[in-house]
Amino acid sequence: MSKQALVTLPLLAVSFVALLGCPAGQKGSDPPADHSATADKGKAGESDGNHDKAASPAAVPGDEIFVGWPKPKLAIVITGEMNGYLEPCGCAGLENQKGGLARRHTFLKQLEKDGWPLVAVDLGGAVGRYGRQAELQYQLVSDALAKMGYAAVGFGPKDLRLPEGLAAVVANDKNHQLIAANVSVLEQTQPFRVVEAGGMKVGITSILGEEYCKSVKNDLVAVKNPRTALAEIVPQMQKECDYMILLSNAKPEESETLAKEFPQFDVVVTGGGAEVPDHLLTHVDGTKTVFVELGHKGMYAIVLGLPEEKDQPPRYQRVPLDARFADSPDMKKLMADYQEQLKQMGFEGLGIREKLHPRAHAPGDLAGQFIGSAMCGECHKTAYDIWSKSKHAQATESLAKAVPPRLADPECLSCHVTGWSPQEFLPYEGGFKSLAETPRLAGNGCENCHGPGAAHVAAETGKDLVLRGQWRETMKLSKATAENQQCAKCHDADNSPEFGHKGFDYYWSKIEHKGTR
Amino acid sequence: LPIQTREELDMRTWFLLALLVVVGIGIGVGVALGVFNPAPNASDAGNAAAPAADSRMPELPPSDGPQPHVRVDKTEFDFGEMERRATGQHSYVFTNRGDYPLKLTSGGTSCSQCTISELPKDDIAPGESASVILKWTPRSEEEHFRQTATIFTNDPNQRSITLTVSGRLIQSLALAPPELVFNNVTPETHSESKARLLVQSSQPVKITGHSLTDEATAAFYVVSYAPLAEKDVPTGYKSGWEVTVTLKPGLPFGAIHQRIRLKTDLPDTPEPEITVMGNVSNGVSVFGHGWVAEAQVLRLNVVKRGAGTKRTVNLLVNGPHRKEVSFRLLSTKPDFVKVTLGEPARLEAVTQVPLTIEIPPGSPVVNCLGGQGHELGQLLLDTGQPTIGQVTLKLQFAIVDG
């Protein structure tokens, strides 16, 4: 062996020792040095690229996930507060919107495929509205969470308002996923659940906050004080579990108080937080309890990675469920079934009843009847021409072309057709029914902004000049009214986030029309 | 090859060895930092999640020369309490502690309500500081807010910095709760529910009137209001009103949709609106797959004659007579439909009875889909309770050969 080789080999070995000595990626090793995703908020006041890794904000370019994570002993995936947003609707472009069951499933499957021991829990809050459609949504979310293998699911305050949907879900809850310490639905709810994963016994319970308990008015549901309920079960949970999670359907202030009163919980997940969850790990002041907010509409999942060492804090990751996660075929099928159910039930089955337009004084009043944009175009040719080239004119078509089509979904129709109340998801009397029955009301037409046109048309063809003048005035819509009252009914933060970014004037320029031509 | 001198050999050897050490340590550090994604089991999630480098990022300086080093005093700011639709702003100070000019570019914000209103146009010289200003105009109805803005830098050690703003929204008038639900109201009884209108300002506010948006059912609503006693005003509010909504008997079966707009003497404030939701039923409701409450129809769809079908739903009885109910089948149409009533579960607030409907295999071909002269099937049940009386459940199905 040459002298060169004799010198080289030991140094090569040193190099590999340097490599092997690095802790990350080795089972049972210490966490790696990069704590960018695990920084404790309590210490994270400042940012210093070189010297204080623990205080670094999220990794480049802000939305990477699990940077520097070794395989955790156990990953706890926390979701909830979907508020009825089962999927990003795509109105504003799917690449701009986050959330949805289909992406969530893909994310969970990836972690599973990577061999991470998982416990998935959901705070609850599946629905945001009341009525038959919300009942269907609640059942769909429950089916989806069961399919995704969730260990435990709590009850959001709006979930508990549902009558039959809640009963159906509870009756089908064969695995006792639904848990609550102080809520009992049909006297069948288990107070807590213990699951084993990653060599740990994880106990999960949920509560409904005191303020929300006061507003529960559902014969199927019995509630009691959350403190009393927790005091009853916490000792038992402590006996049975290594790690304890409280899903608190309460406002953050109340959840924090409960966390202090019951420091036995390692994690407290709260409802009612801000729209976007924190990107750093947060503790309840003066305790070791991890405090988790979820954000709204199921746009994010939170993952806590428990290290092998018991005394170490968990790693924390806010996962934006964006377009990087493909749609899971299983969830897509559930969504397609849901659209089919909506179609089968029809508006009658969904309890959708026409309401009078605010301009109408009684049923059948011409003041509240819609005529369709084409008729408007017979006189207002320039305005109609601008409208017919705009996306407003294609609004219904876009629902028909969607996969699956959304033409039976009132939550979509309300902004994609003519003659519906956008914020109430209800048709006005004489508003759009279907492409077959009311083709003239396809598209987000003139009358959605200017009001129903039948009385105006009648006045134009009649002999009463005073009435004609009055209706012409009534049909006018100023730019200021459009900006302050009208457009935002559909172009809201949920369905049109770009509207706020680019501003009213940008969108106005796409549809601007003046005068009576 | 030319003959190498001893010195040349020694130099090459040491160079090679030094290179190996550097590479080895480099790989080791890289692994530790996760750059090479060493956690084999984390790889897919990590890779799938890592977005490509953003084109908005400023160019890095040459790696072998001086570098910028960014430092931000505080990346999080709590606005505290803010009025909805008011605009707040905060200045974050960025300092360059390196020895190369620091460049900043915008990486966008998490929501349209938060904007980066000011970003230094010029490079920040070594040792100098500059401000990034975030503006925030909360429009959401939610009480708590948190939004983030991303700033990209040319500091190789910190390519992005996340700035966070958070706070709590207050509004001069708040409804608690903003929605009232009337579940399973019976048509013959009065039902009542209450909400509170809470006032944040010290100036007294009076409810001067109200209007209902669904005029068709407005006659069935009675709305009254009274000032809250001081002891009943929750912390954080100065005064309030209790609004009582009463439903009179006679509302039609099915869904309740109503909105009550309260008029106040507070100028330039939108009218607070209570949403009223619920459903009117005869005290007996059904839940289970295929049940359409509004039409009182159980949809069994198309059934193959050879296979038949069986479906179990549940009857739920609420209201004052729930404990007296004892279901009995009176008739079925068509008469070959079999019905089994299970044991009632008498819970505190409801009575639950399983009901199984069977179309036995070999039943005759029939069309009970409704419409065009085809009548729906039906079950007639007696509740054994005189006030509730008999209950009819319609069945929608067709039996076809096969």
Side-chain angles (χ1 to χ4, degrees), chain B residues 6-26:
Chain B
R6 189 187 186 89
E7 287 76 12
E8 279 173 327
L9 273 175
D10 282 346
M11 275 182 69
R12 273 184 55 187
T13 304
W14 284 112
F15 178 74
L16 181 64
L17 293 175
L19 190 69
L20 278 168
V21 170
V22 168
V23 169
I25 291 173

Side-chain angles (χ1 to χ4, degrees), chain B residues 15-270:
Chain B
F15 178 74
L16 181 64
L17 293 175
L19 190 69
L20 278 168
V21 170
V22 168
V23 169
I25 291 173
I27 293 171
V29 170
V31 166
L33 294 176
V35 172
F36 303 114
N37 208 352
N41 297 313
S43 60
D44 282 357
N47 283 340
D54 197 298
S55 60
R56 294 168 294 180
M57 283 178 163
E59 204 176 316
L60 287 171
S63 57
D64 54 355
Q67 300 293 316
H69 174 192
V70 64
R71 188 181 173 88
V72 185
D73 284 343
K74 210 167 167 13
T75 56
E76 299 196 349
F77 180 71
D78 187 347
F79 268 114
E81 288 190 342
M82 269 187 86
E83 282 274 0
R84 183 165 287 118
R85 293 180 194 279
T87 298
Q89 66 172 48
H90 181 68
S91 177
Y92 297 83
V93 179
F94 281 62
T95 303
N96 183 2
R97 291 193 162 188
D99 43 17
Y100 187 88
L102 174 67
K103 293 176 194 294
L104 304 179
T105 57
S106 168
T109 60
S110 59
C111 182
S112 59
Q113 299 167 1
C114 179
T115 54
I116 300 167
S117 74
E118 216 171 291
L119 194 66
K121 283 184 189 139
D122 301 325
D123 296 351
I124 304 172
E128 297 294 314
S129 296
S131 294
V132 171
I133 297 177
L134 277 195
K135 269 193 180 174
W136 164 256
T137 308
R139 295 191 196 102
S140 150
E141 295 299 311
E142 304 296 335
E143 188 179 345
H144 294 269
F145 70 85
R146 178 186 299 105
Q147 293 296 339
T148 57
T150 305
I151 306 294
F152 292 144
T153 84
N154 64 335
D155 178 346
N157 289 309
Q158 200 158 356
R159 293 288 271 148
S160 80
I161 289 181
T162 305
L163 305 175
T164 305
V165 292
S166 59
R168 184 173 165 263
L169 295 180
I170 53 168
Q171 48 185 344
S172 41
L173 295 176
L175 275 167
E179 296 168 334
L180 294 178
V181 172
F182 289 86
N183 258 329
N184 295 324
V185 171
T186 50
E188 73 273 12
T189 52
H190 284 81
S191 301
E192 187 182 281
S193 198
K194 292 174 192 292
R196 289 176 301 171
L197 179 70
L198 302 170
V199 183
Q200 200 112 44
S201 67
S202 46
Q203 179 195 348
V205 173
K206 194 176 173 190
I207 298 179
T208 56
H210 69 273
S211 61
L212 284 85
T213 59
D214 181 19
E215 290 191 17
T217 58
F220 296 101
Y221 290 78
V222 178
V223 182
S224 60
Y225 12 85
L228 277 179
E230 205 173 314
K231 66 177 176 54
D232 296 326
V233 177
T235 319
Y237 296 94
K238 300 285 190 304
S239 61
W241 288 73
E242 184 173 74
V243 181
T244 305
V245 179
T246 308
L247 301 190
K248 293 198 283 189
L251 269 169
F253 281 114
I256 296 172
H257 296 288
Q258 186 58 275
R259 288 184 179 220
I260 300 165
R261 288 191 182 136
L262 301 172
K263 299 179 198 305
T264 71
D265 59 357
L266 198 64
D268 304 325
T269 308

Side-chain angles (χ1 to χ4, degrees), chain A residues 208-508:
Chain A
L208 184 73
E210 254 185 290
E211 197 59 35
Y212 292 141
C213 282
K214 287 180 197 163
S215 57
V216 171
K217 283 187 179 161
N218 189 338
D219 289 338
L220 311 177
V221 182
V223 293
K224 59 182 176 184
N225 183 286
R227 278 174 185 75
T228 316
L230 286 176
E232 284 168 15
I233 64 161
V234 162
Q236 187 63 28
M237 285 182 80
Q238 269 187 297
K239 273 187 209 162
E240 295 182 30
C241 317
D242 310 317
Y243 202 78
M244 286 167 56
I245 302 172
L246 171 62
L247 306 172
S248 175
N249 278 291
K251 290 190 175 177
E253 295 82 1
E254 188 179 347
S255 300
E256 204 171 332
T257 308
L258 285 173
K260 287 176 183 166
E261 287 176 29
F262 296 93
Q264 299 90 336
F265 287 104
D266 298 281
V267 180
V268 172
V269 181
T270 188
E275 198 172 349
V276 178
D278 211 321
H279 69 291
L280 299 171
L281 181 68
T282 306
H283 287 109
V284 175
D285 283 346
T287 73
K288 284 188 175 174
T289 308
V290 172
F291 196 67
V292 175
E293 279 185 26
L294 297 168
H296 300 173
K297 303 168 194 163
M299 293 191 289
Y300 296 87
I302 301 297
V303 183
L304 298 175
L306 306 194
E308 293 286 343
E309 301 75 16
K310 231 183 159 182
D311 53 340
Q312 291 295 310
R315 286 168 174 268
Y316 174 92
Q317 180 66 60
R318 178 182 79 179
V319 180
L321 295 170
D322 54 26
R324 80 188 84 177
F325 300 106
D327 284 346
S328 132
D330 289 346
M331 294 301 121
K332 272 172 80 176
K333 183 171 182 318
L334 279 183
M335 294 307 302
D337 291 348
Y338 164 65
Q339 288 299 329
E340 186 55 35
Q341 269 182 306
L342 293 176
K343 194 172 151 191
Q344 279 190 20
M345 289 176 82
F347 296 156
E348 186 197 10
L350 291 169
I352 303 283
R353 215 181 261 163
E354 286 184 345
K355 62 176 287 180
L356 290 185
H357 190 276
R359 279 190 193 163
H361 297 294
D365 187 349
L366 265 191
Q369 299 299 307
F370 297 87
I371 52 167
S373 300
M375 185 167 289
C376 305
E378 287 185 13
C379 294
H380 306 280
K381 293 189 192 310
T382 309
Y384 179 74
D385 193 44
I386 292 168
W387 175 81
S388 56
K389 287 175 185 156
S390 74
K391 287 195 174 176
H392 282 168
Q394 300 155 17
T396 312
E397 201 185 332
S398 70
L399 294 185
K401 284 182 179 167
V403 182
R406 306 297 203 276
L407 285 169
D409 189 336
E411 291 182 356
C412 300
L413 287 171
S414 61
C415 277
H416 281 253
V417 297
T418 304
W420 278 54
S421 172
Q423 299 285 325
E424 293 176 290
F425 312 105
L426 292 175
Y428 290 119
E429 187 194 23
F432 178 88
K433 286 186 173 60
S434 67
L435 281 174
E437 290 172 90
T438 52
R440 70 184 194 287
L441 299 180
N444 191 322
C446 314
E447 293 164 285
N448 282 350
C449 298
H450 292 273
H456 166 51
V457 171
E460 290 297 323
T461 50
K463 291 177 181 170
D464 187 337
L465 295 181
V466 175
L467 189 67
R468 187 183 294 175
Q470 283 172 348
W471 271 107
R472 285 184 180 184
E473 279 305 308
T474 306
M475 298 305 289
K476 281 182 187 169
L477 177 73
S478 70
K479 186 179 170 188
T481 309
E483 182 172 6
N484 296 325
Q485 294 173 24
Q486 207 64 34
C487 301
K489 286 180 184 171
C490 287
H491 289 281
D492 57 11
D494 296 334
N495 298 311
S496 189
E498 287 291 297
F499 194 78
H501 269 304
K502 292 179 178 166
F504 170 81
D505 286 332
Y506 172 83
Y507 280 82
W508 179 252

